[in-house]
Amino acid sequence: MTAYFNLQFENGLLHFINQVKLPGCVEYVQTDSFDRIAEAIERLEIRGAPAIGIAAAYGIALSQKNGISGERFAAAFGRLARTRPTAVNLFWALQRMRNFYNDHSAGITFELLLAEAVAIHTEDIHHCEAMGINGLPIFTKVSNVITHCNTGKLAVGGEGTAFNVIRTGWLNKMVAHVYADETRPLLQGARLTAFELSMNNIPYSLISDSTAGFLMKQGKVDLAITGADRIAGNGDSANKIGTYGLAALCKFHNIPFYIAAPSSTIDRSIASGDEIPIEIRSEDELLCLNSQRIAPENARAYTPAFDVVPAGLISGIITEEKLHLPPYNFV
């Protein structure tokens, strides 16, 4: 049993784990401020595409806690929409809350908006369960799995996307070992995925991102699975920087590469990954370590938070609906 949670609404407050302090400190923040939720998303205290969307939905509801105000709703919507550009779940959840607000404008209340946010959260829990089940067919034998970034409970409202596929495979005795990329430069794999694998008692080894190819050459990897922050109509998928390289290595070594994400991650308004906006993070995330400069003072850094995996490198996309196989057509 896992003894932690990511997001929880209780007694009028959103409770969330501060992921920046993991794994050394398990600290929970409580707030009823949409601005504090927006700050948490920007600071990566709350991260993971589905979790960002859920938190934003609660933020919209909380903006109306002290009375219905169209002006406050618009302010909350705009503030939350500015937090992170790549994860489409954020905009999906915000638009769903705005549609609900407009559809019930005559009798809208905080309680109704909160119920809609809870519904988004509850749906994600069920979607995570379904993804775990729908992903079981990718394990054609007891497998060693490699993954990148963090896709467990810390990234969603339920048990995870790609992580829950791995977890479900482990519970069904189809996963022998997991290799978790450290995921530079913010080390989501080292800090968060390793934490969650440990909490679930799943055997794993943490590796540097650059070790993946060597493992594959040795025949130690049977399949790869990651999450996604936005999936285009043709199946091109944006995920944490380094995922494209992992997928290309899998192609070279003839290893299946899978994506797991809820259908809310599919952006049917765009035809290909060329249209996905890529967030550029602060240069300090690469130039500094623990707030101490590790590069020369005149060094500059290029720090995209995501890259895009072409659909041709993806063996299957697992959603709560089913395991989608190529060619993909989500338009």
Side-chain angles (χ1 to χ4, degrees):
M1 293 292 291
T2 53
Y4 65 101
F5 67 85
N6 184 19
L7 299 168
Q8 183 173 296
F9 195 88
E10 190 173 49
N11 298 324
L13 299 171
L14 179 64
H15 302 239
F16 61 88
I17 196 167
N18 183 348
Q19 297 188 36
V20 172
K21 297 193 174 183
L22 287 173
C25 175
V26 179
E27 175 188 279
Y28 289 94
V29 178
Q30 304 173 22
T31 186
D32 62 358
S33 164
F34 72 82
D35 194 57
R36 179 66 182 91
I37 292 170
E39 289 177 358
I41 294 171
E42 289 171 336
R43 296 172 182 170
L44 305 185
E45 295 171 349
I46 300 172
R47 47 144 299 281
I52 290 171
I54 294 164
Y58 281 121
I60 288 291
L62 285 168
S63 75
Q64 307 297 291
K65 183 178 180 180
N66 297 319
I68 299 302
S69 164
E71 184 176 352
R72 265 200 314 276
F73 187 101
F77 189 100
R79 176 70 181 92
L80 289 159
R82 291 192 299 272
T83 54
R84 302 195 69 190
T86 301
V88 75
N89 310 68
L90 168 67
F91 305 99
W92 171 86
L94 287 173
Q95 188 58 50
R96 176 165 161 174
M97 293 298 290
R98 180 157 64 182
N99 291 344
F100 186 87
Y101 183 90
N102 291 337
D103 291 345
H104 297 80
S105 57
I108 195 67
T109 63
F110 163 67
E111 290 74 18
L112 284 173
L113 283 165
L114 178 59
E116 184 67 3
V118 170
I120 290 172
H121 192 169
T122 302
E123 287 169 17
D124 188 71
I125 293 172
H126 296 317
H127 290 170
C128 288
E129 294 172 358
M131 276 182 275
I133 294 168
N134 292 343
L136 272 176
I138 73 174
F139 302 106
T140 58
K141 62 178 181 179
V142 180
S143 302
N144 293 329
V145 182
I146 192 168
T147 191
H148 190 74
C149 199
N150 173 260
T151 58
K153 185 181 290 189
L154 296 172
V156 298
E159 291 290 342
T161 57
F163 185 93
N164 200 40
V165 173
I166 295 169
R167 174 179 169 273
T168 304
W170 163 249
L171 293 173
N172 284 270
K173 303 185 186 306
M174 294 301 290
V175 171
H177 198 85
V178 178
Y179 292 103
D181 284 352
E182 61 175 345
T183 317
R184 289 281 298 148
L186 296 182
L187 304 175
Q188 292 94 332
R191 296 187 303 104
L192 307 179
T193 301
F195 171 81
E196 297 206 86
L197 287 165
S198 297
M199 294 295 283
N200 284 271
N201 297 312
I202 299 173
Y204 75 94
S205 297
L206 183 65
I207 62 170
S208 66
D209 296 352
S210 53
T211 300
F214 186 55
L215 274 177
M216 294 177 189
K217 183 180 180 182
Q218 293 177 304
K220 293 183 178 180
V221 176
D222 296 302
L223 63 89
I225 181 168
T226 74
D229 287 71
R230 190 182 299 229
I231 300 172
N234 69 343
D236 292 350
S237 298
N239 193 53
K240 188 58 57 187
I241 190 72
T243 308
Y244 179 24
L246 182 66
L249 282 169
C250 285
K251 184 72 170 180
F252 181 81
H253 290 92
N254 198 30
I255 294 170
F257 174 89
Y258 295 95
I259 292 283
S263 55
S264 57
T265 303
I266 300 170
D267 186 350
R268 292 175 169 82
S269 71
I270 61 174
S272 75
D274 293 339
E275 300 175 65
I276 296 176
I278 299 298
E279 176 184 6
I280 304 297
R281 301 285 298 176
S282 166
E283 292 185 40
D284 286 345
E285 292 184 353
L286 192 59
L287 298 175
C288 302
L289 183 63
N290 294 328
S291 300
Q292 183 175 346
R293 184 88 176 192
I294 59 173
E297 287 300 322
N298 62 348
R300 298 298 305 273
Y302 176 51
T303 54
F306 304 92
D307 54 27
V308 178
V309 180
L313 298 181
I314 302 172
S315 304
I317 297 175
I318 304 159
T319 72
E320 77 280 5
E321 298 167 347
K322 66 176 185 178
L323 169 58
H324 300 268
L325 299 175
Y328 310 106
N329 183 15
F330 297 118
V331 178

